[in-house]
Amino acid sequence: MVDRSGQAIGNYRLSKLLGHGGFADVYLGEHIYLKTFAAIKVLHTQLANDDIERFRIEAQTIAHLIHPHIIRVLDFDVDQYTPLLVMDYAPDGTLGHRHPKGTRLPLATVVSYVKQIASALQYAHDRRLIHRDVKPENMLIGPNGELLLSDFGIALIAETSLSQSTEDTIMGTMAYMAPEQLQGKTRPASDQYALAVVVYEWLCGARPFTGSYMEVVTQHLSAAPPPMHNYVVVPPEIERVIFKALDKDPHERFARVQDFADALEQAYQNSLRLTPPLADTIYATPHPSGKGAYVQQPGFSGNTTPISQASAPMPGFSGNATPVNQVPPTPMPGFSGNAIPANRATPPPVQMAAASNLVTPLREYGAPRVKKHARSVVKWSFRVLAFTIILVSLLLCGLGFGAFRLYNTFTSSNAGPGTAAAVAEANNFLQALSHQSYAQAYNDFDPALAKQVSSGTFLAQGQLFDRCDGKITQYTQDSNPQIQNGTEKYSFTLTRTKLAQAYRLYLTVHKGANGTWQVSDYTSDLQTPSC
């Protein structure tokens, strides 16, 4: 590879090399006259005279893609038969850099990412342009934390200068390429497949297909992706959506990449209504039997019983309503099942007696029977009275509880699962802290908080806590956030390498005027560093 740093190409001077890819090298370029910065992508190819015009046509097509989640192409040129594109510079890097290989992301963060990338892809598909190389390294982070999809059509532009024998089989990154793209039949559904591979990798921390070049090709063409529960516990509906987008047959995937994103978000929203909720991924341990995974309950050291294992039947019970060791009672002799025995005639009608004969003297009726009847009446009276008291008490308790809930509704904020974008913003902030990327975390502050805490102060505080108490090793959301008037308050439990006990961080995010969620306040139980 030739490093062109320091060279001048067109109106730009290449300051430094930002990245190296399969199709091009990316440099930070400074405009010689305007002193503005841009990303200069120099392709690894030499154009023949006949290819230059085709390159310009393709570059013009990419330059007309104006979308909030697509990186802008500002200019293009051919320098000594080497094609180059001038694009907006994104100083915060890519998602591939933010989330290194093996990183598992919360489901809310993944849903937020997919919505942005899918909208950019759908915009391009509607204009008959296929990306061909969807991967985290081509997802840039904008100045406001938004995602910007880059390298649109770079594979196609590179193809204009290569022989027809290569075609699409080398146009893209192998780990994310759809089966039909490997066969030279790229279509919009190929981008959906690649995005589904990225989602699988984000949630599981591993790509669905790994191995040598030919092994990955073979798996893309014929092997089913491993079940996600081998790595992580996610709601079944989420896995069904992802596996539909990973179908080998492009006709069996979603009709549009936007439909994939909508289905994933709907499945996420449905998971928030589960009890217990499964909105966030639960990282599981492989089961000792090698089948699936299980989650070990804290403080439980006993054996686990598979859910599918049925309990032992009751002794003498075959599963029917009647025990097997019992014989149905023998019918009474002469009884055919009717109300009157079969061998008896219907009794004659009762003759009406005189009224005086209906009254039986007490001595003939018997005093013990009267006392027994009186006790029965008293007993049932007490039962009715007790039941009435219990019923009234329950009614009063219900009315009291309803009044209490109504009072809380008007006097306190509501607890809910949280807005997907707000959850993603809170997790992004915590992830930046755990990676010690304090400049990135500071970019999530809203203007009011940025006025209270300078970037230098925030950086010094973070570095001091890291030095004294160790790096953040884990963070978990405690419960649903408190939601009120466009503001969501989250509570996270954090652990550090040098602290014996975990502590809580309280984070408040709100929706700004531009529609993005930002951090407006943060407090912690760990007020001062230990050193």
Side-chain angles (χ1 to χ4, degrees):
M1 183 190 71
V2 178
D3 189 351
R4 295 171 174 263
S5 298
Q7 296 182 11
I9 297 181
N11 291 327
Y12 288 88
R13 183 173 300 279
L14 305 183
S15 302
K16 64 177 179 178
L17 180 66
L18 296 176
H20 174 75
F23 299 125
D25 294 330
V26 184
Y27 293 87
L28 176 62
E30 182 181 11
H31 198 282
I32 297 175
Y33 306 109
L34 301 178
K35 302 302 179 182
T36 56
F37 290 97
I40 313 297
K41 186 168 292 261
V42 182
L43 274 67
H44 297 161
T45 185
Q46 295 286 311
L47 296 180
N49 290 330
D50 296 339
D51 294 329
I52 294 178
E53 185 59 29
R54 284 199 296 166
F55 165 71
R56 286 176 177 169
I57 293 174
E58 297 295 344
Q60 287 172 358
T61 302
I62 300 173
H64 282 87
L65 294 177
I66 308 299
H67 188 272
H69 295 296
I70 295 179
I71 199 77
R72 284 193 312 159
V73 174
L74 307 175
D75 197 2
F76 65 92
D77 199 357
V78 178
D79 181 69
Q80 297 180 355
Y81 300 102
T82 299
L84 58 94
L85 294 172
V86 181
M87 303 179 297
D88 275 337
Y89 173 52
D92 291 330
T94 70
L95 287 185
H97 176 73
R98 171 181 284 187
H99 308 302
K101 183 179 178 180
T103 303
R104 289 168 172 167
L105 303 184
L107 182 54
T109 302
V110 174
V111 171
S112 175
Y113 286 170
V114 171
K115 287 178 61 178
Q116 299 175 68
I117 298 302
S119 68
L121 289 172
Q122 190 62 55
Y123 174 85
H125 292 171
D126 293 342
R127 286 151 183 80
R128 301 182 179 276
L129 184 62
I130 305 172
H131 189 284
R132 300 168 182 255
D133 196 19
V134 177
K135 59 183 179 180
E137 288 75 16
N138 286 335
M139 302 173 188
L140 307 181
I141 304 169
N144 297 318
E146 76 279 12
L147 298 188
L148 301 170
L149 192 57
S150 70
D151 281 17
F152 253 104
I154 293 296
L156 184 60
I157 291 176
E159 184 185 340
T160 63
S161 63
L162 297 175
S163 64
Q164 293 299 316
S165 62
T166 58
E167 300 244 328
D168 279 6
T169 56
I170 64 169
M171 300 305 163
T173 302
M174 185 59 59
Y176 305 94
M177 289 177 67
E180 67 275 7
Q181 187 173 354
L182 292 167
Q183 298 168 339
K185 300 177 182 178
T186 306
R187 60 188 68 197
S190 305
D191 287 344
Q192 179 185 151
Y193 181 95
L195 182 58
V197 174
V198 174
V199 173
Y200 186 105
E201 180 182 12
W202 279 338
L203 290 176
C204 297
R207 296 168 183 166
F209 305 122
T210 58
S212 65
Y213 178 91
M214 288 308 301
E215 288 174 341
V216 172
V217 170
T218 303
Q219 292 171 43
H220 274 301
L221 293 174
S222 59
M228 297 181 70
H229 64 70
N230 288 357
Y231 304 97
V232 66
V233 178
V234 295
E237 188 177 357
I238 294 290
E239 187 170 19
R240 285 194 295 269
V241 170
I242 296 171
F243 275 45
K244 179 177 176 64
L246 286 174
D247 199 286
K248 305 298 182 186
D249 185 355
H251 299 96
E252 295 298 324
R253 298 171 200 155
F254 292 94
R256 306 182 311 151
V257 68
Q258 187 62 55
D259 296 339
F260 169 43
D262 293 342
L264 186 66
E265 183 179 22
Q266 184 59 53
Y268 167 71
Q269 295 295 339
N270 293 342
S271 71
L272 296 177
R273 293 191 284 269
L274 295 177
T275 305
L278 278 175
D280 285 322
T281 52
I282 304 171
Y283 304 130
T285 304
H287 197 276
S289 65
K291 299 180 180 179
Y294 70 96
V295 179
Q296 182 71 32
Q297 296 294 331
F300 183 76
S301 60
N303 297 323
T304 55
T305 302
I307 297 176
S308 60
Q309 180 176 332
S311 57
M314 294 175 60
F317 192 73
S318 65
N320 301 316
T322 306
V324 297
N325 60 353
Q326 290 187 8
V327 181
T330 305
M332 295 175 60
F335 190 74
S336 63
N338 299 318
I340 301 175
N343 59 352
R344 291 189 183 182
T346 304
V350 179
Q351 300 294 327
M352 296 297 296
S356 59
N357 295 332
L358 296 178
V359 181
T360 304
L362 180 62
R363 61 179 178 273
E364 296 179 6
Y365 189 78
R369 297 187 62 185
V370 173
K371 292 180 180 179
K372 181 178 180 180
H373 181 70
R375 285 197 301 269
S376 177
V377 171
V378 172
K379 180 167 47 175
W380 279 103
S381 299
F382 274 112
R383 289 180 178 177
V384 171
L385 179 61
F387 178 77
T388 303
I389 294 174
I390 294 173
L391 185 62
V392 172
S393 300
L394 291 175
L395 181 61
L396 292 176
C397 289
L399 291 175
F401 180 74
F404 176 76
R405 291 294 300 271
L406 186 63
Y407 173 79
N408 278 349
T409 301
F410 289 100
T411 59
S412 63
S413 58
N414 298 322
T419 309
V423 175
E425 171 61 27
N427 278 277
N428 286 341
F429 181 79
L430 265 297
Q431 195 160 39
L433 293 183
S434 64
H435 291 164
Q436 299 175 321
S437 302
Y438 295 108
Q440 177 184 324
Y442 188 80
N443 288 337
D444 293 334
F445 283 9
D446 70 351
L449 183 59
K451 288 182 179 179
Q452 298 176 15
V453 182
S454 67
S455 59
T457 301
F458 182 70
L459 175 62
Q461 289 176 346
Q463 292 176 341
L464 182 60
F465 275 101
D466 287 340
R467 185 170 63 255
C468 296
D469 302 314
K471 182 182 176 182
I472 297 174
T473 57
Q474 185 179 0
Y475 62 90
T476 56
Q477 185 176 330
D478 296 331
S479 59
N480 287 333
Q482 294 294 322
I483 305 173
Q484 188 175 28
N485 299 329
T487 298
E488 301 187 8
K489 298 180 179 180
Y490 293 83
S491 173
F492 291 88
T493 297
L494 279 66
T495 58
R496 289 180 176 267
T497 56
K498 297 181 181 180
L499 286 181
Q501 294 183 340
Y503 66 97
R504 279 191 172 88
L505 175 70
Y506 306 98
L507 194 65
T508 303
V509 297
H510 83 285
K511 196 171 186 178
N514 59 355
T516 61
W517 290 85
Q518 296 175 307
V519 177
S520 60
D521 190 22
Y522 68 96
T523 57
S524 169
D525 292 341
L526 189 63
Q527 297 295 332
T528 58
S530 58
C531 59

